Amino acid sequence: MDLVTVRELYKNREAYLDKEVSIGGWVRSVRASKAFGFIVVSDGTYFETLQVVYHDTMANFAEISKLNVGAAIIVKGTLVATPDAKQPFEIQATEVSVEGPSAPDYPLQKKRHTLEYLRTITHLRPRTNTFQAVFRVRSLIAYAIHQYFQERDFVYVHTPLITGSDCEGAGEMFQVTTMDLNNIPKNEDGSVDYTKDFFAKPTNLTVSGQLNGETYAMAFRNIYTFGPTFRAENSNTTRHAAEFWMIEPEMAFADLEDNMEVAEGMLKYVIRYVLEHAPEEMAFFNNFIDKGLLDRLNNVVNSEFGRVTYTEAVKILEEHNDQFDYKVSWGCDLQTEHERFLTEQIFKKPVFVTDYPKEIKAFYMKMNPDGKTVAAVDCLVPGIGEIIGGSQREDSLEKLAARMDELGLKKEDYQFYLDLRKYGSARHSGFGLGFERCVMYLTGMGNIRDVIPFPRTVGNCDL
Amino acid sequence: MDLVTVRELYKNREAYLDKEVSIGGWVRSVRASKAFGFIVVSDGTYFETLQVVYHDTMANFAEISKLNVGAAIIVKGTLVATPDAKQPFEIQATEVSVEGPSAPDYPLQKKRHTLEYLRTITHLRPRTNTFQAVFRVRSLIAYAIHQYFQERDFVYVHTPLITGSDCEGAGEMFQVTTMDLNNIPKNEDGSVDYTKDFFAKPTNLTVSGQLNGETYAMAFRNIYTFGPTFRAENSNTTRHAAEFWMIEPEMAFADLEDNMEVAEGMLKYVIRYVLEHAPEEMAFFNNFIDKGLLDRLNNVVNSEFGRVTYTEAVKILEEHNDQFDYKVSWGCDLQTEHERFLTEQIFKKPVFVTDYPKEIKAFYMKMNPDGKTVAAVDCLVPGIGEIIGGSQREDSLEKLAARMDELGLKKEDYQFYLDLRKYGSARHSGFGLGFERCVMYLTGMGNIRDVIPFPRTVGNCDL
């Protein structure tokens, strides 16, 4: 079909003004008088709408005038400049054909709907302004992340979703099976007979691609993953979903400093990309969702991120313990209130906190010479707290094995991971960025359910 | 760490020649004489290796000379041109430090290993030439696909992985659960008590994002998905995996013709991108994996794809029935032998086959005026057969509902999908590209297990 997009009309208006154009889109509103009427149309390709003027010279004038919100139409006409109006141009229609009407009970009307209500109609909410903005920006962020890493020759690795290992705590994982739950095959001793399952063993949905990603970093030097991860956490908060996407870069011959440089570069790159490619959407968020958003993001782009060790950060925070619900002392994990205090009140910009106590971090993080802390790093940003978590990885076979013994981890489950330290080990580092948290950060949206097209949370798996 | 990549040395050699550089990488081979030696190093960023020359003036000359294949080293030295050698330059080392040795039982040696053997060490195989080439090209193809759609302002939609619907046949799906399989909660009647499961109902891993994708096409006009899909098929072939990635574009105000244009444009774009960005890898595939590869791909890029209806195609094929294992007649599904005959023998280029009998296609495809065929399209390519399958979707609420009744599908399970036809229905089309099949096509690799970093097939879920 020879239809121009509304985006194209806005971006290259000079090429279309005073020419005949055809567009297809959905009715946002119709105002009709006796002799003529106005239709506001969105075709979903651009945040701004397009006004169409039509006249009673058309045979279907009455039909058009009665169109409900949401109807699909195809409009043919001349694009004319409207120097005195709010919008820069409109279509003087010669033909409006109804592609598909919208039934009278259409759940979206011109009034503003609550985000809660819109969550009940996930298949229709992307037709609203807010979700047009959210999901276009989500798409742009995803692409910006790919572009950032690909321009730097990182190899995109698809780590597996279904996994036979349960590296980070089986309690929070989803099990994957093809066995009939009404009739589970059993061994003689009554236990589940997994030889009858699809993979002939218990399998789960992954919680992280990191360990797999490391194997590829030790082959390609610089890699990144970008894929779904899962948590079966029974937590009903605005920041947790059972299914979400993660970006996990991993770099060989890279220390914690390199890790921070890549993380800082990535965040700034993505923010700049979105500000440049979705100015209308970002202005909308700033006006209607989160008033300080643009100032905050511009500040991030233009500031050098702060650096502070965990030990220093705890000293700073202890002086303000009267302001916290949860008092800080060395050894405790930092809560969101502490993280936000550091980045918002102390540094007033994003800050990397490094070198955490080994007890509160994962087994694979590189032990520092002090024997007490590990080369971990969290990136804290104003308005959110932690957005990135990473570390330099333990590259010594002996130290890694000793730490696994300390924690009671079975080495036979991690043989491939130990092999990376046995055959050509190299210092290496990586981090994880929760994609949805990044989308929330860039849009100001407050609930993770509103930045995922079809969110999955405890008790909810619609569509 | 201030290490330059081998890729950077090759791409911008003029900037580095006769200067001091430092690189980190892994030993491919060491040849030592009494006074000096050569190390061939790969750092994984570039398909070509780098030669390092070192001398007995170094304190660790003996240690270096005994390095095993796979050891990680950091080399400092001067990059010098070698006009008389095969390689364009080498590093005259002043320092070689061992980052991590490689144990004597390193499973990869300089000799050629079989692909079957390498499948048993999925964590190490990306260090070989073949898999360096495969997985870099896989990454480039993924990015090229994003770039193609993003340049055209398609919105990237993350459709859900865990799904409560079982649209395309529950028998082939993986079930997702948090219930303890040793102790399944039961109702009084003995059936599974799904109120105790995480989502309070049975859930599966998705087999396609299409239906969800359609809801977003009816909001953004042009969208695409790119994510994992799953099939619990018990088929042990070279072309089936239980977990694979799919790209599913969906376009509103687009008919079958538009669909074919986008599909043809995408394939050509991706091929061109890879030929341009991975010439060394593509030459390797052409020389060692699939002799006719480059000719075939160049032919695809430079030809206009053929078009033929299913009915015409059957007429053509019937004339050659003596050459087929499975004889063709109108109404039968085309087998790979037929598809390849059409594209390789008859058209000698890629060909779109359109308008298949409704009986062999999905319920959502648009009925043609003949009442017998639907507006489906498969794209067949030489060497593979079907690589893309798509259709115009049925946009009439009545026709879709009638077809669902005919097939015994429950309308209450598809209410959201019917809503798209009730509220502003518009003609729309889309297709699905199996990502791994695309990687196989562009690399000439013959087994899907060799184009997936950590393949999942029946009975296999390692790492």
Side-chain angles (χ1 to χ4, degrees):
Chain A
M1 302 179 74
D2 209 14
L3 304 177
V4 68
T5 64
V6 173
R7 172 174 294 268
E8 172 68 8
L9 294 181
Y10 272 89
K11 295 293 177 189
N12 292 314
R13 61 187 70 178
E14 297 308 328
Y16 296 97
L17 277 174
D18 302 317
K19 303 227 169 74
E20 182 172 87
V21 298
S22 293
I23 62 134
W26 292 274
V27 170
R28 286 287 181 91
S29 69
V30 180
R31 279 181 302 137
S33 66
K34 266 191 191 158
F36 62 94
F38 299 98
I39 314 173
V40 176
V41 184
S42 164
D43 79 344
T45 64
Y46 194 58
F47 193 68
E48 304 293 335
T49 53
L50 182 63
Q51 177 160 284
V52 174
V53 185
Y54 65 103
H55 293 87
D56 62 356
T57 46
M58 293 178 185
N60 61 349
F61 180 77
E63 181 196 16
I64 301 166
S65 300
K66 278 182 282 185
L67 280 176
N68 191 15
V69 177
I73 56 175
I74 293 175
V75 177
K76 193 180 192 175
T78 307
L79 192 75
V80 294
T82 51
D84 299 330
K86 216 178 86 188
Q87 71 278 8
F89 45 66
E90 65 189 17
I91 293 186
Q92 289 282 350
T94 51
E95 233 182 283
V96 176
S97 61
V98 179
E99 177 80 355
S102 174
D105 61 346
Y106 188 52
L108 297 172
Q109 292 304 322
K110 240 201 113 180
K111 65 165 188 159
R112 191 184 276 206
H113 299 284
T114 66
L115 297 177
E116 290 74 16
Y117 169 69
L118 293 172
R119 265 173 233 147
T120 67
I121 44 171
T122 48
H123 61 307
L124 300 176
R125 68 176 179 168
R127 304 177 181 195
T128 64
N129 276 336
T130 302
F131 290 99
Q132 282 271 312
V134 166
F135 291 114
R136 193 183 329 277
V137 167
R138 182 180 165 113
S139 168
L140 293 172
I141 295 173
Y143 186 56
I145 290 168
H146 279 297
Q147 200 166 80
Y148 176 78
F149 287 112
Q150 294 272 344
E151 281 178 355
R152 283 152 189 79
D153 294 311
F154 281 55
V155 172
Y156 177 28
V157 180
H158 292 98
T159 49
L161 285 295
I162 302 175
T163 168
S165 65
D166 51 1
C167 295
E168 304 201 15
E172 297 178 353
M173 296 176 94
F174 290 101
Q175 187 162 1
V176 174
T177 182
T178 53
M179 295 188 292
D180 178 1
L181 299 199
N182 282 299
N183 190 14
I184 297 271
K186 295 278 170 86
N187 295 310
E188 283 184 15
D189 66 359
S191 61
V192 177
D193 179 7
Y194 279 107
T195 66
K196 299 289 195 299
D197 208 351
F198 189 87
F199 295 108
K201 65 176 178 180
T203 51
N204 299 301
L205 289 176
T206 187
V207 297
S208 162
Q210 181 200 315
L211 304 196
N212 295 86
E214 281 186 53
T215 70
Y216 270 61
M218 300 309 278
F220 287 104
R221 197 170 149 181
N222 295 325
I223 67 99
Y224 69 108
T225 73
F226 191 157
T229 46
F230 305 86
R231 297 284 155 82
E233 274 174 44
N234 194 347
S235 53
N236 215 334
T237 79
T238 57
R239 292 155 60 104
H240 289 87
E243 177 182 310
F244 55 98
W245 288 61
M246 288 252 287
I247 295 95
E248 298 184 283
E250 190 74 33
M251 296 152 280
F253 298 101
D255 57 24
L256 202 64
E257 187 61 36
D258 299 312
N259 211 11
M260 289 188 274
E261 273 172 31
V262 171
E264 179 169 344
M266 178 194 71
L267 279 182
K268 288 177 173 175
Y269 186 96
V270 171
I271 294 171
R272 275 197 204 98
Y273 187 91
V274 170
L275 291 173
E276 185 186 331
H277 287 82
E280 297 82 9
E281 286 83 353
M282 295 307 287
F284 171 85
F285 292 128
N286 195 57
N287 289 334
F288 296 103
I289 303 290
D290 180 354
K291 296 279 179 206
L293 181 70
L294 288 180
D295 282 348
R296 207 163 62 230
L297 294 178
N298 280 313
N299 179 37
V300 170
V301 167
N302 295 313
S303 58
E304 201 165 315
F305 289 16
R307 311 275 171 115
V308 65
T309 67
Y310 168 89
T311 302
E312 291 161 0
V314 165
K315 273 192 205 130
I316 295 168
L317 291 168
E318 277 177 326
E319 291 169 24
H320 302 275
N321 257 338
D322 55 319
Q323 295 174 57
F324 302 132
D325 291 337
Y326 187 91
K327 310 301 171 199
V328 175
S329 64
W330 200 96
C332 77
D333 211 351
L334 300 184
Q335 308 294 314
T336 303
E337 59 173 334
H338 311 135
E339 293 173 343
R340 293 189 58 172
F341 190 87
L342 270 176
T343 177
E344 291 168 15
Q345 304 299 321
I346 305 294
F347 285 87
K348 300 186 201 305
K349 61 181 182 180
V351 57
F352 289 112
V353 181
T354 60
D355 305 301
Y356 285 76
K358 65 177 178 181
E359 287 78 11
I360 59 173
K361 289 292 182 183
F363 76 95
Y364 49 71
M365 298 192 179
K366 188 174 176 65
M367 191 70 71
N368 282 326
D370 64 16
K372 293 192 299 184
T373 61
V374 289
V377 59
D378 283 356
C379 180
L380 315 180
V381 293
I384 289 258
E386 185 203 328
I387 193 168
I388 283 173
S391 74
Q392 188 167 341
R393 319 308 188 185
E394 184 56 75
D395 51 271
S396 153
L397 183 59
E398 294 76 38
K399 286 186 192 161
L400 183 63
R403 185 70 182 140
M404 289 175 68
D405 286 340
E406 250 175 62
L407 295 170
L409 294 168
K410 285 189 228 159
K411 288 208 274 295
E412 55 270 32
D413 291 345
Y414 297 86
Q415 198 49 59
F416 78 97
Y417 195 65
L418 293 165
D419 275 359
L420 303 181
R421 280 72 182 166
K422 192 175 166 193
Y423 306 119
S425 188
R427 75 196 82 178
H428 62 293
S429 298
F431 62 85
L433 169 71
F435 181 61
E436 279 75 12
R437 204 163 278 190
C438 182
V439 177
M440 291 171 74
Y441 178 54
L442 266 75
T443 59
M445 296 296 288
N447 194 315
I448 198 167
R449 289 164 185 79
D450 297 330
V451 301
I452 300 178
F454 302 90
R456 273 79 180 95
T457 55
V458 58
N460 288 298
C461 185
D462 293 333
L463 307 200
Chain B
M1 301 179 72
D2 209 15
L3 303 178
V4 68
T5 63
V6 173
R7 172 174 293 268
E8 172 69 7
L9 294 181
Y10 272 89
K11 295 293 176 189
N12 291 313
R13 60 188 70 179
E14 297 307 328
Y16 297 96
L17 276 175
D18 302 317
K19 303 226 170 73
E20 183 174 85
V21 299
S22 293
I23 61 133
W26 292 274
V27 169
R28 285 288 181 90
S29 69
V30 181
R31 277 182 301 135
S33 67
K34 266 189 190 162
F36 62 94
F38 300 98
I39 315 172
V40 176
V41 184
S42 163
D43 79 345
T45 64
Y46 193 59
F47 193 69
E48 303 293 332
T49 53
L50 183 63
Q51 177 162 284
V52 174
V53 185
Y54 66 103
H55 292 87
D56 61 358
T57 47
M58 293 178 186
N60 61 349
F61 179 77
E63 182 196 15
I64 300 166
S65 299
K66 279 182 281 183
L67 281 175
N68 191 14
V69 177
I73 56 175
I74 292 175
V75 176
K76 194 182 191 172
T78 307
L79 192 75
V80 294
T82 51
D84 299 330
K86 216 179 86 188
Q87 70 278 7
F89 45 66
E90 65 190 16
I91 293 186
Q92 288 283 351
T94 52
E95 233 181 281
V96 176
S97 61
V98 179
E99 177 80 355
S102 174
D105 60 346
Y106 187 51
L108 296 172
Q109 292 303 323
K110 239 201 113 181
K111 65 165 188 161
R112 189 184 279 206
H113 299 284
T114 66
L115 297 176
E116 290 74 19
Y117 170 69
L118 293 171
R119 265 173 233 147
T120 66
I121 44 170
T122 48
H123 61 307
L124 300 176
R125 68 175 179 169
R127 303 177 182 197
T128 64
N129 276 336
T130 301
F131 290 99
Q132 282 271 312
V134 166
F135 291 114
R136 194 184 328 278
V137 167
R138 183 180 164 114
S139 169
L140 293 172
I141 295 173
Y143 186 56
I145 289 168
H146 279 297
Q147 200 166 80
Y148 176 78
F149 287 112
Q150 294 271 344
E151 282 177 355
R152 283 151 189 79
D153 295 312
F154 281 55
V155 172
Y156 178 27
V157 179
H158 293 98
T159 49
L161 286 294
I162 303 176
T163 167
S165 65
D166 52 1
C167 295
E168 304 199 16
E172 297 178 354
M173 297 176 93
F174 290 101
Q175 186 162 2
V176 173
T177 182
T178 53
M179 295 188 294
D180 178 1
L181 299 200
N182 281 299
N183 191 13
I184 297 273
K186 295 278 171 85
N187 295 310
E188 283 184 17
D189 67 359
S191 62
V192 177
D193 179 6
Y194 278 108
T195 65
K196 300 287 194 301
D197 207 352
F198 189 87
F199 295 109
K201 65 175 177 182
T203 51
N204 298 301
L205 289 176
T206 188
V207 296
S208 162
Q210 180 200 316
L211 305 195
N212 294 87
E214 281 186 53
T215 69
Y216 270 61
M218 300 308 279
F220 287 103
R221 197 170 148 180
N222 295 325
I223 67 100
Y224 70 108
T225 73
F226 192 157
T229 46
F230 305 86
R231 296 283 154 80
E233 274 173 45
N234 194 346
S235 53
N236 216 334
T237 80
T238 57
R239 292 156 61 104
H240 290 86
E243 177 181 310
F244 56 99
W245 288 61
M246 287 253 286
I247 296 96
E248 298 183 284
E250 190 75 33
M251 297 151 279
F253 298 100
D255 57 23
L256 201 64
E257 188 60 36
D258 299 312
N259 211 12
M260 290 187 272
E261 273 172 31
V262 171
E264 179 170 343
M266 178 194 71
L267 278 182
K268 288 178 172 174
Y269 186 96
V270 170
I271 294 171
R272 275 197 204 98
Y273 188 90
V274 170
L275 291 174
E276 186 186 332
H277 288 83
E280 296 83 8
E281 286 82 354
M282 296 307 287
F284 171 84
F285 292 128
N286 195 56
N287 289 334
F288 296 103
I289 303 290
D290 181 354
K291 296 279 178 207
L293 181 69
L294 288 180
D295 282 348
R296 205 162 62 231
L297 294 178
N298 281 312
N299 179 37
V300 170
V301 167
N302 296 313
S303 57
E304 201 166 314
F305 289 17
R307 312 274 170 115
V308 65
T309 65
Y310 168 89
T311 302
E312 291 161 359
V314 165
K315 272 192 206 133
I316 294 167
L317 291 167
E318 278 177 327
E319 290 169 24
H320 303 274
N321 257 340
D322 55 319
Q323 296 175 56
F324 301 133
D325 292 336
Y326 186 92
K327 309 302 169 199
V328 175
S329 64
W330 201 96
C332 77
D333 211 350
L334 299 185
Q335 308 294 314
T336 303
E337 59 173 333
H338 310 135
E339 292 173 344
R340 292 189 57 172
F341 189 87
L342 270 175
T343 178
E344 292 168 14
Q345 306 299 321
I346 305 294
F347 284 87
K348 300 184 201 307
K349 61 181 182 179
V351 57
F352 289 111
V353 182
T354 60
D355 305 299
Y356 285 77
K358 65 178 179 180
E359 286 78 12
I360 58 172
K361 289 291 181 182
F363 76 94
Y364 50 70
M365 297 191 179
K366 188 173 176 67
M367 191 69 70
N368 283 326
D370 64 14
K372 293 191 300 183
T373 61
V374 289
V377 59
D378 282 357
C379 180
L380 316 180
V381 293
I384 290 259
E386 185 204 329
I387 193 167
I388 282 172
S391 73
Q392 188 168 340
R393 318 309 187 184
E394 184 55 75
D395 52 273
S396 153
L397 182 60
E398 294 77 38
K399 287 187 193 163
L400 182 63
R403 184 71 181 138
M404 290 174 69
D405 285 341
E406 250 175 60
L407 295 170
L409 295 167
K410 284 188 228 160
K411 287 207 275 295
E412 55 270 32
D413 292 345
Y414 296 87
Q415 198 50 58
F416 78 97
Y417 195 65
L418 292 165
D419 275 0
L420 303 181
R421 281 71 182 168
K422 191 174 167 193
Y423 306 119
S425 189
R427 74 195 84 178
H428 63 292
S429 298
F431 62 86
L433 169 71
F435 181 60
E436 279 75 12
R437 204 163 278 191
C438 182
V439 177
M440 291 170 75
Y441 178 54
L442 266 74
T443 59
M445 297 296 287
N447 193 316
I448 198 167
R449 289 164 185 78
D450 297 330
V451 301
I452 300 178
F454 302 90
R456 273 77 180 97
T457 54
V458 58
N460 288 298
C461 185
D462 294 333
L463 305 201

